[in-house]
Amino acid sequence: MNIAMLGSGFIGRFYAESIQGYRSKDKIVSVYSRKEETATKFATDYNVGFATDNLEAAIDRTDVDVVCIALPNNMHEEAVLLCCKHKKSVITTKPLARTAEEAKRMLLAVEKAGIFNGYLEDLVYTPKFLKAHESVKNGALGRILWAKSRETHPGPHSDWFWDIEQAGGGCILDLGCHCVEITRSYIGKDILPVEAMCWADTQVKPIDAEDHAIALIKYENGAISQFEVSWTFRGGLDLRDEVMGTEGTIWINSFLRTGFEMFTTGKSGDYLAEKAESNSGWLFPVGDEVNELGYNHMFMDMFAALEKGQQPKETFYDGYVVNAVLDACYKSAKTKLWEPVKLDIWRGRTGVSKDSHLQEYDADHYLVKEEVTHYGAKKIILKNKTTGKLSQITQ
């Protein structure tokens, strides 16, 4: 693939490391930046032939196969519409948009133009997530009841993130977009998110947006998801997921505890890991940051799908659903009420009832619990189907 990279900052460089390093056959041929000097520096660092501060000029080139958007949130729609104009395949960083309405316009635009579209939600491509998700799909956890995702760190790296007009929100939009897609993937992306309850506040940072938030999202099948996001967490980047089902549980610690521990006096001053707050003391580096954060598997999926004429695992439609859920969270944070998730476009299942939680023991009873005690007795707790009376059998 020949790629036009729109954006030459933090995420654009992460993308470049993966794009030009993993498959060893993809190349960035064009780069745009809002500042000419940063575009030129990126072009030098990654051997890119064309650098510009003109957005359309970076896209409208015969040697460009796909456009990768790594821009501030307020520029996504403009870039997408230019891709539609010039019939260029497009993949964009998260979140897709600042609101569901903005995301819907982008979704309808790429579909009307008939161009390939991919949503770069890297955290559903991490090796740990892929392994865990496969286990869930294969039924290892039974019926999924609850999924939780946490992403917290001391705050983002560029000034525009802190500007509510450019970013569209604070940590809910920046980090919650990851968490919503992770948890809905475990519950089932075809299951309708129904309503959300959210607490959010600005606790530490001198900004207009929220820097800390916690939310619950109910799904039509009775499952619930939860996210915890913060720009106030001290100690680095904390990425954790939990999934609970009727037959099992998964815990994932993706970043803060990596299995790699190191002590240093800090004299070297070297970069160790994303959002690390210190270069001294006990630290937890990451062996292969680009791979562990999902970028390699993400671009493999995007480019393989494009080559085969298929849809990738994550499309603009997924980004639109995420934005709709986050809109409900923002509204709930203001009203202090459960707020409905408003989806003008829904392509999943409808009318999904809550799965039965009743396990039959015999013709007259449901099984509540069965266990072996510390003194060797087997206890069976039962509920009578007719009277509702609870009883136990000890063997």
Side-chain angles (χ1 to χ4, degrees), residues 251-295:
W251 294 341
I252 296 177
N253 195 329
S254 295
F255 217 80
L256 198 58
R257 290 295 184 270
T258 62
F260 179 175
E261 301 181 15
M262 178 178 76
F263 178 86
T264 174
T265 60
K267 292 181 179 179
S268 68
D270 291 336
Y271 173 86
L272 293 166
E274 182 184 347
K275 305 294 190 303
E277 290 202 88
S278 173
N279 64 349
S280 64
W282 279 107
L283 303 171
F284 309 96
V286 178
D288 185 347
E289 203 163 347
V290 170
N291 193 60
E292 287 300 314
L293 286 172
Y295 299 120

Side-chain angles (χ1 to χ4, degrees), residues 72-377:
N73 298 344
N74 63 312
M75 297 184 69
H76 289 190
E77 185 174 14
E78 178 187 2
V80 166
L81 293 179
L82 285 172
C83 291
C84 293
K85 175 182 175 181
H86 296 289
K87 302 296 184 183
K88 296 293 185 181
S89 298
V90 58
I91 53 181
T92 186
T93 191
K94 63 79 200 173
L96 179 60
R98 291 172 293 179
T99 66
E101 188 59 35
E102 192 174 74
K104 184 174 76 169
R105 293 197 300 266
M106 294 161 65
L107 170 63
L108 294 176
V110 294
E111 292 185 342
K112 181 179 180 181
I115 60 174
F116 177 93
N117 58 93
Y119 178 52
L120 300 180
E121 175 42 78
D122 59 291
L123 294 187
V124 297
Y125 288 98
T126 68
K128 289 177 182 176
F129 174 87
L130 293 174
K131 183 70 172 180
H133 189 242
E134 189 66 22
S135 295
V136 168
K137 286 199 303 180
N138 290 337
L141 270 59
R143 177 165 54 93
I144 301 303
L145 307 173
W146 172 69
K148 172 186 172 183
S149 185
R150 169 186 169 94
E151 180 169 3
T152 62
H153 58 60
H157 45 271
S158 297
D159 56 359
W160 67 263
F161 279 96
W162 304 92
D163 182 340
I164 196 169
E165 293 301 320
Q166 292 185 74
C171 61
I172 291 176
L173 197 60
D174 179 35
L175 309 180
C177 62
H178 287 305
C179 300
V180 168
E181 191 63 357
I182 288 168
T183 52
R184 74 181 280 260
S185 295
Y186 284 126
I187 290 168
K189 292 203 295 183
D190 59 341
I191 304 299
L192 180 69
V194 177
E195 58 182 347
M197 168 64 81
C198 181
W199 166 88
D201 198 2
T202 309
Q203 293 188 312
V204 176
K205 307 297 184 181
I207 57 173
D208 295 325
E210 75 288 348
D211 60 15
H212 195 176
I214 300 169
L216 296 172
I217 299 102
K218 292 180 184 177
Y219 285 77
E220 192 176 36
N221 68 346
I224 192 161
S225 72
Q226 176 181 346
F227 70 65
E228 301 173 0
V229 293
S230 182
W231 286 347
T232 68
F233 176 77
R234 305 309 302 267
L237 174 59
D238 186 13
L239 300 177
R240 280 181 277 167
D241 302 330
E242 299 179 37
V243 192
M244 183 177 74
T246 55
E247 303 300 327
T249 302
I250 289 174
W251 294 341
I252 296 177
N253 195 329
S254 295
F255 217 80
L256 198 58
R257 290 295 184 270
T258 62
F260 179 175
E261 301 181 15
M262 178 178 76
F263 178 86
T264 174
T265 60
K267 292 181 179 179
S268 68
D270 291 336
Y271 173 86
L272 293 166
E274 182 184 347
K275 305 294 190 303
E277 290 202 88
S278 173
N279 64 349
S280 64
W282 279 107
L283 303 171
F284 309 96
V286 178
D288 185 347
E289 203 163 347
V290 170
N291 193 60
E292 287 300 314
L293 286 172
Y295 299 120
N296 287 346
H297 289 90
M298 178 177 70
F299 285 114
M300 175 68 81
D301 177 51
M302 294 293 159
F303 295 155
L306 186 52
E307 289 166 352
K308 294 174 183 177
Q310 300 173 348
Q311 282 195 338
K313 186 171 78 170
E314 296 287 319
T315 69
F316 275 27
Y317 174 72
D318 295 297
Y320 161 69
V321 174
V322 168
N323 271 123
V325 172
L326 295 181
D327 279 2
C329 291
Y330 274 115
K331 187 173 182 181
S332 173
K334 292 179 179 179
T335 65
K336 314 300 182 186
L337 301 170
W338 284 96
E339 292 291 346
V341 176
K342 296 182 178 179
L343 282 162
D344 296 334
I345 304 170
W346 174 246
R347 295 170 180 169
R349 297 157 62 193
T350 56
V352 179
S353 61
K354 182 177 179 180
D355 294 329
S356 174
H357 61 282
L358 302 176
Q359 183 178 346
E360 190 169 271
Y361 179 75
D362 58 26
D364 299 318
H365 297 90
Y366 294 118
L367 177 66
V368 177
K369 186 182 180 183
E370 183 176 348
E371 67 173 328
V372 176
T373 67
H374 67 282
Y375 54 90

